């Protein structure tokens, strides 16, 4: 209880006042209400006695009030200030006088608030609008009827170097920040707004102080007093990053077109609908099949069917690609004139943003010559050697136990072996450990049929230059009398680049391009495996939903390059803070997710484990890192959900962790919050 006023004294002094009167004691960084009169209770629509300012009013209003209270005590003199509130669709303006009271070692504030009738002149309305937008992510400028730039919010003014001495006696069109193409549009929009028209979502371009073009979406509102328009208030939302993303997409599309043209120069390329209708073909298809374009477009791909393959062959092909997988194999096709030809065919499902298959891309390489070569190997050895000596394909003949009888010069040129080193050598000695079992399955088959042909991928060990991936066909020939394996003939081509590309594409599909952390697709792929391990080991899993505290400020203050490097360092710091078996995912922006494994099923022990992990993360972040000689040591807020306590569904666990994160941020930054029972469905 205050020694300055008793309840009776306060009521005697201010109980009959028409103004709202508040008497408060300073406690740490806040102020506690001790006495308020009835008018004050009606103003804030509650009984605040015993509570703090931060508990009674919204954060953005509390911030302004506390600043003025602190100024009152700091200067030890009365402070008068005005503020605006927005309640029940009505703008209200108050004028408050604050009086400092010092009693021994305690500090008090006596605040008297009068409600001011909101005048309808341009200044008051603008001040209210400015108070709403000046500290938001939006930018604002005020233009007079004479096209003078009256004021701009501080950030916009700094970005575009709009100093008072530059703006003085100049119209907005005399200031160099207005782009040439924007100027006539801006003049048109201002003139329409001056007539009272509502202008929204208009694209404007401005030149900042660094000479860079910045793009904005603009809304124009007129300010009136006594039914007369005095000025135009413009609200701007920057969309520069979205424009750049669109330009990057165009560049990527151009690269895809270049890639398509490169393929078209060496292979037959067809696009078909999901039911096999031909949508487009390149010139090589027309040249190699003898058809005209109008004879193929709109017709089913079956037009090339030679009848060589059994129906089950195409059933398996369609099952593969309709499930979104790439199919590759050899297909016997028929030209328009009836000639048969063999194709090494790759069919790739093309998906839209929703993951739905829209088209199929077929890439065909004519392999008829290789097929003919395989059949003639058994007839004319000299012809075989004349051809194989000049091919880049890997051609090998082994006996029934896999020892090399013949190896084409490609093995010497590309693997570094001499011909005399290869003859009699077990073929598996040329293979990497991962491919040895694949080869042994070939030579150890219990039953064989004559001229059996199969496809195989093997990785060869080079003597000097690393490993080489090959893909080929092998044929097992039998001794006709004994029906035993006579020899194995295999023709392969190098696919190292394709394998590396497949590996790279797989990596890109499951990792974030900026931080190299796993992405959402990686999360959904790995979680079922993590879940199964947890069930077997009888342990629990925690989903940590991380949100960086004020990470946007890094971009705003230091630029996107530093911002990108900041996110990379942040991701590395998180990875270094958790265990090898834990999974770190970047969801996007400054939002990350950690799947923490191997936690106890017992709640108290698990909470100790979680606290230990969070402490490690915070310690690592506190150490921080440097970028361009700038030291960063950021903080994060974390929401946590537990498998299986809260849910067994990954989507629900993420959603619950997100909700817990939201509640943690509402309470305070640099904290964490565990999913509560009230959040569970």
């Amino acid at each position: 209880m205050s020694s300055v006023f008793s309840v009776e004294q306060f009521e005697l002094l201010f109980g009959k006042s028409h103004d709202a009167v508040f008497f408060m004691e300073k406690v740490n960084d806040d102020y506690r209400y001790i006495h308020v009169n009835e008018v004050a209770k009606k103003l804030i629509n509650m009984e605040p006695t015993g509570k703090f300012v931060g508990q009674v009013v919204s954060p953005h209003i509390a911030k302004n009030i506390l600043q003025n209270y602190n100024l009152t005590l700091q200067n030890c003199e009365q402070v008068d200030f005005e503020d605006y509130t927005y309640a029940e669709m009505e703008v209200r303006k108050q004028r408050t006088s604050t009086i400092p009271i010092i009693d021994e070692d305690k500090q008090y504030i006596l605040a008297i608030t009068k409600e001011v009738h909101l005048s309808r002149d341009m200044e008051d309305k603008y001040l209210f609008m400015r108070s709403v937008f000046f500290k938001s992510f939006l930018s604002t400028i005020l233009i007079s009827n004479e096209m003078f730039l009256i004021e701009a919010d501080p950030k916009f003014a700094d970005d575009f170097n709009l100093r008072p001495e530059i703006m003085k006696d100049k119209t907005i069109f005399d200031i160099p920040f207005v782009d040439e193409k924007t100027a006539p549009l801006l003049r048109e929009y201002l003139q329409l707004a001056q007539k009272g028209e509502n202008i929204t979502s208009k694209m404007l371009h401005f030149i900042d102080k660094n000479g860079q073009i910045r793009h904005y979406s603009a809304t124009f509102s007129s300010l009136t007093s006594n039914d007369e328009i005095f000025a135009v208030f413009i609200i701007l939302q920057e969309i520069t990053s979205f424009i750049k993303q669109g330009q990057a997409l165009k560049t990527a599309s151009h690269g895809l077109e270049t890639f398509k043209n490169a393929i078209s120069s060496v292979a037959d390329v067809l696009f078909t609908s999901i039911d096999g209708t031909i949508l487009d073909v390149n010139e090589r298809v027309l040249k190699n099949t003898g058809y005209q374009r109008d004879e193929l477009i709109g017709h089913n791909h079956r037009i090339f069917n030679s009848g060589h393959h059994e129906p089950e062959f195409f059933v398996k092909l369609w099952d593969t690609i309709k499930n979104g997988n790439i199919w590759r194999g050899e297909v016997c096709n028929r030209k328009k004139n009836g000639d048969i030809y063999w194709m090494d065919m790759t069919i790739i499902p093309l998906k839209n943003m929703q993951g739905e298959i829209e088209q199929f891309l077929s890439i065909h390489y004519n392999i008829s010559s290789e097929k003919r070569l395989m059949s003639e190997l058994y007839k004319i050895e000299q012809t075989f050697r004349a051809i194989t000596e000049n091919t880049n394909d890997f051609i090998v003949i082994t006996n029934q136990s896999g020892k090399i009888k013949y190896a084409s010069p490609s093995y010497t040129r590309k693997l570094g072996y001499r011909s005399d080193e290869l003859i009699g050598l077990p073929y598996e000695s040329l293979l990497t450990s991962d491919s040895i079992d694949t080869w042994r399955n070939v030579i150890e088959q219990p039953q064989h049929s004559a001229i059996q042909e199969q496809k195989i991928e093997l990785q060869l060990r080079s003597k000097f230059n690393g490993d080489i991936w090959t893909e080929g066909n092998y044929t097992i020939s039998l001794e006709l009398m004994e029906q035993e394996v006579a020899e194995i003939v295999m023709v392969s081509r190098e696919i190292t680049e394709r394998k590396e590309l497949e590996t790279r594409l797989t990596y890109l599909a499951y990792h974030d391009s900026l931080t190299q952390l796993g992405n959402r697709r990686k999360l959904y792929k790995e979680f079922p495996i993590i879940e199964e391990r947890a069930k077997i080991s009888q342990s629990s899993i925690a989903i940590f939903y991380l949100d960086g505290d004020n990470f946007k400020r890094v971009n705003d203050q230091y630029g996107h390059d530093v911002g990108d490097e900041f996110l990379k360092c942040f991701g590395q710091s998180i990875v270094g803070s958790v265990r090898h078996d834990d999974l770190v995912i970047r969801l996007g922006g400054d939002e990350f997710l950690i799947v923490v494994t191997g936690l106890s099923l017992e709640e108290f022990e698990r909470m100790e484990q979680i606290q230990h992990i969070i402490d490690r993360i915070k310690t690592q972040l506190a150490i921080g890192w440097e970028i361009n000689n700038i030291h960063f040591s950021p903080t994060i807020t974390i929401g946590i959900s537990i498998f299986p306590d809260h849910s067994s569904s990954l989507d629900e666990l993420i959603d619950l962790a997100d909700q817990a994160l939201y509640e943690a941020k509402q309470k305070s930054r640099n904290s964490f919050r565990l999913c509560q029972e009230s959040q569970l469905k």
Side-chain angles (χ1 to χ4, degrees), residues 109-295:
I109 289 290
L110 180 66
I112 303 173
T113 298
K114 300 175 180 288
E115 185 165 2
V116 181
H117 177 69
L118 188 64
S119 62
R120 297 189 57 82
D121 59 24
M122 178 181 68
E123 179 183 5
D124 273 357
K125 284 189 291 183
Y126 173 62
L127 288 175
F128 171 71
M129 297 176 76
R130 187 177 65 173
S131 70
V132 173
F133 292 106
F134 256 36
K135 294 185 179 181
S136 73
F137 65 92
L138 302 173
S139 298
T140 58
I141 56 178
L142 185 67
I143 309 296
S144 71
N145 282 353
E146 294 76 25
M147 301 298 179
F148 289 106
L149 178 58
I150 299 174
E151 190 172 8
D153 71 89
K155 185 179 184 308
F156 189 86
D158 179 65
D159 286 348
F160 294 91
N161 199 26
L162 302 179
R163 302 191 306 274
E165 61 269 23
I166 292 178
M167 297 188 295
K168 184 178 180 181
D169 298 327
K170 291 184 180 179
T171 71
I172 190 171
F173 302 104
D174 298 325
I175 305 173
F177 85 101
V178 179
D179 177 69
E180 288 183 2
K181 295 180 180 179
T182 288
L185 295 173
L186 178 59
R187 186 183 299 276
E188 177 186 350
Y189 301 148
L190 286 169
Q191 290 172 346
L192 292 173
Q194 289 171 354
K195 296 177 182 178
E197 294 190 29
N198 188 28
I199 310 298
T200 61
S201 301
K202 298 299 183 182
M203 177 81 76
L204 298 178
H205 314 284
F206 298 116
I207 305 170
D208 67 16
K209 61 185 178 184
N210 298 318
Q212 300 298 312
I213 298 291
R214 307 267 287 271
H215 310 279
Y216 290 85
S217 175
T219 297
F220 297 75
S221 301
S222 59
L223 294 181
T224 62
S225 179
N226 298 323
D227 297 326
E228 185 175 338
I229 296 174
F230 282 91
V232 176
F233 186 69
I234 306 176
I235 303 171
L236 301 165
Q237 180 176 5
E238 186 166 7
I239 56 174
T240 305
S241 60
F242 297 105
I243 298 295
K244 290 182 177 179
Q245 288 173 6
Q247 293 171 344
L249 182 59
K250 290 180 180 178
T251 302
S253 298
H254 175 71
L256 181 60
E257 187 65 25
T258 302
F259 178 67
K260 173 184 170 184
N261 292 336
I263 294 177
S264 293
S265 66
V266 296
D268 295 3
V269 179
L270 299 89
F271 288 90
T272 68
S273 66
I274 57 175
D275 64 358
T277 300
I278 299 173
L279 303 175
D280 195 12
V281 298
N282 68 348
E283 290 299 322
R284 288 181 62 90
V285 173
L286 305 179
K287 179 180 178 181
N288 293 334
T289 65
Y291 286 100
Q292 298 296 317
R293 182 175 295 275
D294 57 1
E295 293 177 307

Side-chain angles (χ1 to χ4, degrees), residues 280-334:
D280 195 12
V281 298
N282 68 348
E283 290 299 322
R284 288 181 62 90
V285 173
L286 305 179
K287 179 180 178 181
N288 293 334
T289 65
Y291 286 100
Q292 298 296 317
R293 182 175 295 275
D294 57 1
E295 293 177 307
L296 295 178
I297 305 302
H299 293 272
N300 193 277
H301 197 275
R302 288 191 294 270
I303 194 172
F304 301 117
N305 194 337
S306 65
H308 175 84
H309 302 284
E310 296 294 330
E312 291 76 14
F313 175 85
F314 293 103
V315 169
K316 291 181 180 179
L317 184 156
W318 279 102
D319 285 344
T320 300
I321 61 178
K322 284 190 173 181
N323 285 325
N325 300 313
I326 297 174
W327 182 90
R328 188 165 189 264
E330 294 179 357
V331 179
C332 182
N333 281 347
R334 186 184 302 275

Side-chain angles (χ1 to χ4, degrees), residues 81-94:
F81 65 93
E82 295 179 351
D83 60 354
Y84 291 85
T85 59
Y86 189 73
E88 298 180 356
M89 301 303 291
E90 180 184 1
V91 179
R92 300 171 64 184
K93 178 180 178 183
Q94 290 91 30

